[in-house]
């Protein structure tokens, strides 16, 4: 499909699930594709007042740094980004609709329904893996991969069999002071 058709289909998918009250989890890489996706979604939200009712969150430990670096390196961006900057004299990475979150708590503070772009791209670790159980349990939620996940990951398993009987998720316990915090609560998206 041509780029415009893919972007239109993405907008339709998001609008459909958000209108039904479902959250959307989009596992993403933390620096390359995510910037392009943020620009596309920012434009969608800016063009459609209905979409502005819904949250749009970029969740990654390095999200702030990634956006800041992109905003300061416009001369290295593609022709469309530099042309947009030259025409409007505004930085395309000064997002109005994409809300940057660097912790799970910041993302969960945003009201639902919302779209969450979360690291990592194959949902095998990071924030995407931590949000995955809530997304899989919610009837109107959508798990949307923008690229094929690596073979052998939970993302690849879910794509191979969208209605698996069971999926095992590994959680890691972290030590804080003298007490051990086992795993993380499974918060609603």
């Amino acid at each position: 499909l041509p780029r415009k058709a893919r972007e239109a289909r993405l907008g339709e998918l998001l609008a459909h699930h958000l209108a039904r009250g479902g959250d959307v989890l989009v596992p993403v890489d933390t620096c390359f594709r995510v910037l392009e996706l943020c620009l596309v979604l920012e434009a969608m939200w800016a063009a459609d007042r209905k979409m502005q009712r819904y949250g749009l969150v970029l969740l990654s430990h390095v999200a702030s740094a990634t956006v800041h670096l992109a905003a300061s390196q416009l001369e290295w961006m593609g022709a469309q980004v530099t042309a947009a900057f030259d025409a409007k004299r505004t930085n395309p990475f000064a997002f109005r609709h994409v809300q940057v979150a660097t912790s799970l708590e910041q993302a969960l503070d945003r009201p639902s329904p919302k779209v969450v772009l979360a690291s990592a791209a194959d949902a095998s670790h990071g924030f995407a893996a931590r949000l995955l159980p809530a997304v899989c349990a919610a009837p109107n939620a959508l798990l949307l991969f923008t690229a094929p996940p690596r073979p052998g990951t939970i993302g690849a398993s879910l794509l191979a069999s969208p209605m698996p009987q069971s999926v095992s998720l590994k959680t890691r316990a972290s030590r804080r002071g003298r007490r051990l915090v086992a795993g993380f609560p499974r918060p609603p998206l």
Side-chain angles (χ1 to χ4, degrees):
L1 284 175
R3 181 184 177 110
K4 291 278 188 197
R6 287 192 317 263
E7 289 176 6
R9 178 68 181 129
L10 173 63
E12 292 166 5
L13 260 173
L14 296 177
H16 173 75
H17 285 276
L18 292 168
R20 294 174 57 199
D23 289 313
V24 179
L25 174 60
V26 184
V28 294
D29 65 56
T30 55
C31 45
F32 299 113
R33 178 88 176 160
V34 70
L35 294 172
E36 178 184 1
L37 197 51
C38 283
L39 289 173
V40 167
L41 294 176
E42 178 74 16
M44 277 183 203
W45 259 245
D48 187 347
R49 292 188 73 63
K50 290 180 184 176
M51 294 300 275
Q52 293 174 17
R53 294 183 290 188
Y54 309 116
L56 179 55
V57 181
L58 171 59
L59 174 61
S60 166
H61 290 294
V62 295
S64 295
T66 300
V67 172
H68 177 73
L69 183 64
S72 67
Q73 300 292 320
L74 290 180
E75 66 271 13
W76 298 100
M77 298 292 164
Q80 284 183 316
V81 173
T82 54
F85 174 73
D86 290 340
K88 296 179 183 174
R89 300 312 283 172
T90 58
N91 194 315
F93 295 101
F95 297 129
R96 292 185 55 223
H97 303 287
V98 176
Q99 300 168 329
V100 174
T102 56
S103 72
L104 191 58
E105 293 75 25
Q106 288 175 338
L108 295 175
D109 283 346
R110 307 301 198 281
S112 289
K114 61 183 166 259
V115 174
V116 179
L117 307 170
S119 60
D122 55 19
S124 63
H125 60 280
F127 292 122
R130 290 168 66 185
L131 292 170
L132 192 57
V135 169
C136 290
N140 292 325
L142 173 66
L143 174 62
L144 178 65
F145 289 99
T146 59
R150 289 179 299 130
T153 62
I154 191 160
S157 298
L158 288 170
L159 283 179
S161 176
M163 298 302 288
Q165 296 299 317
S166 67
V167 174
S168 62
L169 296 172
K170 296 177 185 176
T171 59
R172 184 173 49 173
S174 63
R175 186 175 286 282
R176 291 193 183 151
R178 291 187 170 258
R179 82 183 162 90
L180 183 65
V181 180
F184 298 95
R186 294 192 178 157
L189 182 65

